[in-house]
Amino acid sequence: MGRIAYYFAAISPYTYLAGTGLEEIAARHGAEIDYKPLDVLQLFSRTGGLPPGERHPSRQAYRLQDLERSAAIAGLPITLRPPHWPTNPAPSAFAIIAAQEAGGGDMGALVHGLCRACWAEGRDVAADDVIADCLQAAGFDPALAGSAMFTGAERYGRNLEDAVAAGAFGAPFYVTDDDQRFWGHDRLSHLDRHLSGAA
């Protein structure tokens, strides 16, 4: 059974567009997912990238067009300029980390629920009540929203270091046991092909 290191952030629109595709691929190939939420803006700064608002206007304009097209292809609603973006990514990440440790729910549903809250529902994924709602909807104890900071902070920082060491530079980013790296929701089919044993 393989293991996929999954680097992502609930405030990443491309993580949202990935939906639960990773979970479907992992289930098909009997692979485990190690969920590693991180501060994607810090990852950019550590690996030579820029936050969206600091990119050249041509890149910013293209990003908006690409998000709109990609969402339409995926059949997902999207708000291109969410009212609570960017927001502090740490609280949602802490909750994801705590949920993975606690078990008992659906991790894919939790991650996608938080992303959807940001990118389709106009909700602040740094707010405890939003996080609690997403935890409960995915089958986890909503009380994790309040206690997650105590268990998630150390691992949250370690996830960033792990991402840099693994060669990740954006989100979503997937790294297999044999060090094959896949960046972006549109590379899930490549990951699927690799796990199938295709060259």
Side-chain angles (χ1 to χ4, degrees), residues 77-88:
I78 192 167
T79 302
L80 295 178
R81 293 183 173 86
H84 301 286
W85 185 89
T87 191
N88 182 1

Side-chain angles (χ1 to χ4, degrees), residues 102-166:
D106 185 331
M107 287 297 298
L110 174 60
V111 172
H112 188 59
L114 285 162
C115 291
R116 184 176 60 247
C118 176
W119 289 98
E121 299 171 357
R123 305 173 78 193
D124 184 358
V125 295
D128 282 351
D129 61 331
V130 174
I131 294 169
D133 286 349
C134 293
L135 283 163
Q136 187 166 31
F140 293 100
D141 181 356
L144 289 172
S147 62
M149 183 175 68
F150 301 104
T151 60
E154 181 181 352
R155 182 167 173 191
Y156 182 58
R158 192 166 68 246
N159 286 347
L160 176 61
E161 299 305 320
D162 289 350
V164 173

